[in-house]
């Protein structure tokens, strides 16, 4: 429960009034005590005086048996207001009357009337007992004889009256004084503290919707309040500043949430928002709208070869170029990676669109210099239109993407408008992915082997294991149709492992049969290498089947190898340590660094078939092939040429020092049975 | 009821005891009064005992104590002083003993009755007698009177002076001076008389408020050869009848002590018998001069002098 809060006025009143009352009460008590003591002393002195003066006269009267005389004297003395009783013990009378004592005198009753003393009156006895003070003196005559005693009783009646008067006076004075002081202190406190405080409260209460005072506090008179005011103003200023900072941060956050940090372009979120708005506007104004989906060609290779830093600078550069090409009111966004989108509004006809697309292609085709490296970039552009193709954000983007793939398929560096057929293509991709998974589960993939020939000896020296998909409906499907999709979906890891297992089991079988299949070469995807448990899995598989490491050669493409060469070196070194041979596949198509090439634990280079197929017609290919062979020899590496289809090619290669070949000239990839036959019977030219 | 039965036979069969406490039985006035008390008590069937205080407070108190011890039933008191009377009355009252004060008076009023002489009237009457003599002798206005008074703090003294001066004032006679007695001696009266006559030669008369020291005054007259000065007194001595007849004393205001004593007993008797009591009784003072002395001889003999055959 919340305690009730009291006003400062209330607390102030209580404190001041209480304090003053306390002081005054203490003072009153002191006065009372002092006065009481003083009056009591006075009374005692008076009593002694009265006693002394009465004593002589009374003694004389007692001595002369003038009882009535001393009684009169006593009665007269009783008129003194302070005296409560005077009693004479008369020895002479006691003697005469034959009594133990004879006491006479006067006493004042409760109404302060003088009464004759009566020994037997209980009330009088009580009054005497309650007397404030008693003085008894002996009655001694002039000749020195003791004739009795005189006792004078003093009442505290007078004392109490006086003390009561003092108390009343003090209380009245105290209360008046207390109220005056309270009023004075109130007035002062009010002027100095409470009013300024109330002003402060009022100013603080007049705040904006976030509770921050709208105005700064006014200066106060007193030092402390002024300090408080300054502190409050400082706080208000600080709150305002931090609010500004927060707003700035919020703006930044909003910006960051809607923009790509690398290029500063709108991100997917903002793009979608802009597109939504654009669609509404286009709908209202009955205008057309185009969505461009731009994907850089071979950007992946740039990243792989030169690193992300270079790739990032290239992207920034591209963004700037695109920004320069589009119209002021068009929206350029980066969706991620090397994907850019443009929303083009207020379109006239498709010529405008084509012009822009061509401008983009032109703009991006000129080389970009990054850190001294000249990079050649091209792009593929897909375009979807509203309201022609679709009328939703998702569809427009999806169709532009599909069109972009069409452009890629069309050999890159071109733009394609979306049409309904493209949608079918995209659908096919999805269907294929599902089928891939299904095939893997059902074991529809089969391993084919293509023999590798030592041309010097004319013998099979090994074979490359290649995967084929034995589709139940479509028949045998070649890897080009499903490997890219398997790589992009990550299915390649599982597929590779499957192929490796089947191939190694076959090689083991042949060896068991006493055949010599030579070295088994198998493709290794970089995705496989990146898998943390690959080495362990491969090792277990190898030992489980029973194959020896020296029977195995793993091929990795040049482009994949150079993507993260440092990481590759580490994993490949482990594989090499196992005793497995390693070769670089498709050599010459990528951008190999010789420095890395030297460091890699490889034993073989495989010349890409691209360089072989036009030999001996193409002089350039001949030169490159020769150079690769020389390079391999200088690095003390074996060299194998792929795609050998003619005798000329075989002989050229042999002449140049490349004795190991693979290609249709000897055999296309074949199934197990055919391969087994070739191992037993040998190959024919 | 029981108390009445007990008291009634007591009164009827046995003689009730009374006490007369008197200041000084040696003084003729009190002596005469005591005889009146005894006479009347006997007549009414009471026994009475007389205690003289010898003008002493202590003896007076002792007398009372003795009386209380003896179980007396009533007191007639002629006190040493009106002050001492108050004490005695108070003590008696505590024992439920009724007190009748006979002359002198009391500062207490708790007595059943106070019987006294009409001092003022007596003094007034004697003043008038003196005034007549003044006129008869043809004294002029320069002539005056001297007074030797009993103490003026005594109530009877004051009354006597007041009554006397009133009479003189009516007759336009001046008073030269007033002397108050202290030791009541003959010598004192002699000295005062001498002083007055020497100091005021115009004094033609001297008034003594007491009678017993008249001889001191006469002696002074003789020595100063002023036998012409008239002497008047208050109270009387047995020889006064003769002295008045002879003209040695011009007049005397005579109290009746014998009558007072008798009256006191009568009042007590009335009290015992439940009769209504007069609280203050003033008996007349006889103003006796040469003219009426013979006529009042019998009254003077009994009531004033207590001489009863």
């Amino acid at each position: 429960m919340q305690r009730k809060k009291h006003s400062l006025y209330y607390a102030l009143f209580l404190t001041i009034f209480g304090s003053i009352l306390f002081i005054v009460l203490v003072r009153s008590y002191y006065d009372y005590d002092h006065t009481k003591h003083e009056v009591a002393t006075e009374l005692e002195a008076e009593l002694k005086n009265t006693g002394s003066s009465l004593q002589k006269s009374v003694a004389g009267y007692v001595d002369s048996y003038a009882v009535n005389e001393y009684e009169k004297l006593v009665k007269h003395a009783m008129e003194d207001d302070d005296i409560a009783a005077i009693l004479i013990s008369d020895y002479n009378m006691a003697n005469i009357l034959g009594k133990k004592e004879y006491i006479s005198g006067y006493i004042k009753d409760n109404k302060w009337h003088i009464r004759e003393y009566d020994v037997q009156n209980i009330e009088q006895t009580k009054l005497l007992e309650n007397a404030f003070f008693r003085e008894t003196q002996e009655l001694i005559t002039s000749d020195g004889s003791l004739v009795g005693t005189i006792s004078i009783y003093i009442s505290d009646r007078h004392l109490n009256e006086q003390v009561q008067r003092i108390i009343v006076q003090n209380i009245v004075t105290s209360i008046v004084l207390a109220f005056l002081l309270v009023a004075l202190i109130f007035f002062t406190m009010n002027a100095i503290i409470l009013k300024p405080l109330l002003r402060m409260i009022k100013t603080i209460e007049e705040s904006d919707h976030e509770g921050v005072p709208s105005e700064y506090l006014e200066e106060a008179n007193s030092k402390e309040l002024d300090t408080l005011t300054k502190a409050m103003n400082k706080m208000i200023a600080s709150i305002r500043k931090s609010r500004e900072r927060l707003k700035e941060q919020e703006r930044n956050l909003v910006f960051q949430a809607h923009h790509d940090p690398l290029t500063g372009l709108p991100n997917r979120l903002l793009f979608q928002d802009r597109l939504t708005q654009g669609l509404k506007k286009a709908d209202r104004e009955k205008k057309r709208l185009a969505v461009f989906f731009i994907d850089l060609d071979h950007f992946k290779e740039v990243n792989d070869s030169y690193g992300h830093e270079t790739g990032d600078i290239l992207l920034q550069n591209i963004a700037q170029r695109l920004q320069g090409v589009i119209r002021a009111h068009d929206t350029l966004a980066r969706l991620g990676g090397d994907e850019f989108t443009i929303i083009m509004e207020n379109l006239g006809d498709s010529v405008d669109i084509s012009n822009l697309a061509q401008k983009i292609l032109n703009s991006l085709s000129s080389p970009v210099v990054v850190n001294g490296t000249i990079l050649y970039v091209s792009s593929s552009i897909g375009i979807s239109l509203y309201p022609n193709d679709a009328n939703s954000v998702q569809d427009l983007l999806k169709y532009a993407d599909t069109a972009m793939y069409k452009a890629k398929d069309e050999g890159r560096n071109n733009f394609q408008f979306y049409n309904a057929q493209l949608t079918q293509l995209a659908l096919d991709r999805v269907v294929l992915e599902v089928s891939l998974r299904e095939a893997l589960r059902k074991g529809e993939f089969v391993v084919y082997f293509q023999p590798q020939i030592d041309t010097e000896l004319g013998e099979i020296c090994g074979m490359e294991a290649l995967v084929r998909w034995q589709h139940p409906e479509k028949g045998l499907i070649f890897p080009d149709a499903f490997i890219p999709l398997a790589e992009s979906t990550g299915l390649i890891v599982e597929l590779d492992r499957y192929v490796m297992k089947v191939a190694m089991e076959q090689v083991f079988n042949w060896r068991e049969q006493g055949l010599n299949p030579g070295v088994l070469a198998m493709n290794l995807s970089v995705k496989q290498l990146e898998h943390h448990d690959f080495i362990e899995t491969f090792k277990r598989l190898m030992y489980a089947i029973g194959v020896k490491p020296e029977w195995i050669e793993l091929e990795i493409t040049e482009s994949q190898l150079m993507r993260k060469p440092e990481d590759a070196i580490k994993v490949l070194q482990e594989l090499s340590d196992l005793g497995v041979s390693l070769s670089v596949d498709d050599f010459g198509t990528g951008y190999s660094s010789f420095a890395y090439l030297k460091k890699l634990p490889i034993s073989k280079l495989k010349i890409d078939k691209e360089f072989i197929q036009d030999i001996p017609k193409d002089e350039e290919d001949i030169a490159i092939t020769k150079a690769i062979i020389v390079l391999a020899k200088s690095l003390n590496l074996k060299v194998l040429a792929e795609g050998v289809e003619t005798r000329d090619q075989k002989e050229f290669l042999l002449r140049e020092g490349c004795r190991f070949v693979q290609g249709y000239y000897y055999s296309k990839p074949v199934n197990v049975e055919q391969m087994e036959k070739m191992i037993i019977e040998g190959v024919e030219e | 009821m029981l108390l009445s039965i007990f008291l009634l036979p007591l009164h009827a069969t046995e003689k009730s005891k009374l006490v007369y406490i008197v200041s000084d039985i040696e003084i003729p006035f009190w002596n005469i009064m005591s005889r009146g008390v005894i006479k009347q008590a006997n007549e009414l069937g009471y026994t009475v005992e007389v205690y003289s205080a010898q003008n002493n407070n202590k003896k007076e108190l002792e007398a009372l104590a003795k009386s209380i011890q003896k179980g007396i039933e009533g007191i007639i008191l002629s006190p040493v002083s009106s002050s001492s009377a108050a004490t005695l009355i108070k003590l008696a009252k505590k024992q439920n003993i009724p007190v009748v004060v006979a002359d002198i008076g009391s500062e207490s009023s708790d007595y059943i009755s106070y019987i006294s002489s009409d001092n003022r009237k007596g003094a007034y009457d004697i003043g008038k007698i003196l005034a007549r003599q003044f006129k008869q002798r043809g004294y002029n206005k320069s002539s005056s009177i001297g007074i030797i008074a009993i103490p003026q703090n005594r109530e009877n003294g004051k009354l006597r002076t007041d009554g006397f001066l009133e009479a003189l004032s009516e007759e336009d006679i001046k008073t030269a001076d007033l002397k108050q007695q202290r030791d009541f001696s003959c010598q004192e009266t002699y000295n005062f008389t001498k002083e007055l006559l020497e100091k005021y030669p115009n004094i033609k008369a001297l008034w003594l408020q007491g009678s017993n020291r008249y001889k001191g005054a006469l002696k002074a007259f003789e020595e100063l050869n002023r036998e012409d000065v008239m002497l008047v007194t208050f109270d009387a001595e047995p020889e006064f009848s003769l002295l008045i007849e002879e003209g040695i004393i011009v007049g005397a205001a005579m109290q009746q002590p014998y009558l007072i004593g008798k009256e006191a007993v009568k009042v007590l008797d009335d009290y015992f018998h439940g009769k209504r009591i007069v609280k203050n009784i003033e008996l007349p003072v006889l103003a006796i001069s040469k003219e009426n002395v013979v006529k009042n001889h019998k009254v003077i003999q009994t009531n004033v002098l207590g001489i009863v055959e």
Side-chain angles (χ1 to χ4, degrees), chain A residues 235-419:
Chain A
M235 202 163 78
I236 293 168
S238 161
I239 291 169
R240 287 183 180 174
K241 203 183 275 177
S242 69
R243 188 166 61 175
E244 279 307 309
R245 230 176 9 245
L246 273 175
K247 279 186 177 164
E248 180 65 32
Q249 281 175 359
E250 194 185 326
R251 275 195 294 273
N252 283 342
L253 277 175
V254 169
F255 184 84
Q256 280 169 19
H258 292 90
H259 290 80
D260 162 42
L262 181 66
T263 60
L265 293 177
N267 61 9
R268 183 183 291 274
L269 200 67
L270 186 54
F271 165 78
Q272 287 176 338
D273 187 52
R274 292 260 176 98
L275 185 52
T276 306
Q277 301 307 321
L279 289 177
K280 283 180 187 164
K281 195 176 166 220
D283 182 48
R284 266 199 315 274
E285 297 175 1
K286 306 289 172 209
K287 290 276 174 64
R288 292 203 302 161
L289 178 150
V291 174
F292 283 55
F293 200 109
I294 305 164
D295 189 273
L296 301 184
D297 299 331
H298 302 299
F299 176 72
K300 203 165 171 295
E301 277 81 9
V302 175
N303 254 354
D304 291 347
S305 307
Y306 301 100
H308 285 289
E309 207 177 309
T310 302
D312 286 350
I313 294 169
L314 177 65
L315 288 171
Q316 285 171 340
N317 226 302
I318 298 296
Q320 276 173 12
R321 286 190 186 187
L322 290 171
Q323 200 82 59
V325 172
I326 61 167
R327 302 175 306 174
H329 53 270
D330 292 339
T331 297
L332 170 66
R334 179 176 172 235
L335 298 193
D338 57 348
E339 295 172 348
F340 292 90
T341 51
I342 295 168
I343 304 167
M344 217 180 157
E345 297 179 78
N346 295 324
L347 292 176
D349 51 41
S350 52
V351 180
D352 283 349
I353 307 167
S354 303
N355 283 345
L356 177 66
Q358 194 52 56
K359 261 159 82 181
I360 291 169
L361 292 176
N362 294 342
S363 156
L364 299 188
S365 63
S366 54
V368 181
V369 182
V370 178
N371 296 336
T373 309
I374 298 169
L375 299 170
Y376 291 90
V377 193
S378 62
S379 61
S380 303
I381 304 171
I383 303 163
S384 62
L385 296 172
Y386 168 85
N388 311 47
D389 301 330
N391 51 16
S392 75
V393 171
Q394 285 73 25
D395 287 349
L396 280 169
L397 190 61
K398 191 168 76 186
Y399 295 162
D401 185 35
T402 309
M404 184 274 290
Y405 273 106
K406 175 78 174 14
K408 291 262 185 210
D409 290 345
E410 293 294 323
R412 305 169 199 263
N413 199 22
N414 68 87
F415 65 88
Q416 294 291 327
F417 283 92
Y418 170 78
N419 59 52

Side-chain angles (χ1 to χ4, degrees), chain A residues 641-675:
Chain A
E642 289 179 300
V644 176
E645 292 178 358
T646 65
R647 175 181 281 269
D648 288 348
Q649 287 167 349
K650 182 205 87 175
E651 281 177 354
F652 164 77
L653 289 166
L654 187 61
R655 204 165 47 242
E656 291 305 321
C658 173
R659 58 191 279 198
F660 304 110
V661 299
Q662 180 183 341
Y664 279 38
Y665 178 65
Y666 287 102
S667 170
K668 61 177 184 185
V670 293
N671 61 22
V672 174
E673 291 75 27
Q674 289 170 311
M675 190 63 218

Side-chain angles (χ1 to χ4, degrees), chain A residues 9-43:
Chain A
Y9 283 99
Y10 181 73
L12 211 58
F13 175 80
L14 275 190
T15 312
I16 297 168
F17 194 74
S19 308
I20 292 168
L21 210 61
F22 176 73
I23 292 167
V24 160
L25 284 177
V26 169
R27 173 74 204 169
S28 297
Y29 179 75
Y30 173 79
D31 277 355
Y32 164 80
D33 199 52
H34 182 72
T35 309
K36 191 174 176 180
H37 183 74
E38 222 170 42
V39 173
T41 313
E42 263 173 41
L43 281 177

Side-chain angles (χ1 to χ4, degrees), chain B residues 24-60:
Chain B
D24 191 354
I25 199 75
E26 299 301 320
I27 290 172
F29 184 82
W30 303 119
N31 195 286
I32 296 162
M33 196 182 285
S34 73
R35 277 180 263 149
V37 168
I38 293 163
K39 171 77 176 167
Q40 189 64 61
N42 289 337
E43 277 178 17
L44 292 171
Y46 295 100
T47 62
V48 65
E49 240 174 290
V50 178
Y51 294 114
S52 173
Q54 293 164 35
N55 214 20
N56 182 309
N57 285 335
K58 185 186 178 188
K59 288 222 161 60
E60 190 176 39

Side-chain angles (χ1 to χ4, degrees), chain B residues 95-114:
Chain B
Q95 305 296 324
N96 289 316
I97 300 168
V99 177
V100 171
V101 180
D103 210 88
I104 297 296
S106 168
E107 287 179 12
S108 162
S109 57
D110 278 343
Y111 46 77
I112 59 166
S113 186
Y114 168 45

Side-chain angles (χ1 to χ4, degrees), chain A residues 64-65 68-69 71-72 116, chain B residues 57-58 83 86-87 90 107:
Chain A
S64 61
Y65 297 87
N68 189 54
E69 288 307 304
E71 281 180 354
K72 281 195 284 180
E116 209 170 312
Chain B
N57 285 335
K58 185 186 178 188
S83 174
T87 305
K90 188 172 84 175
E107 287 179 12

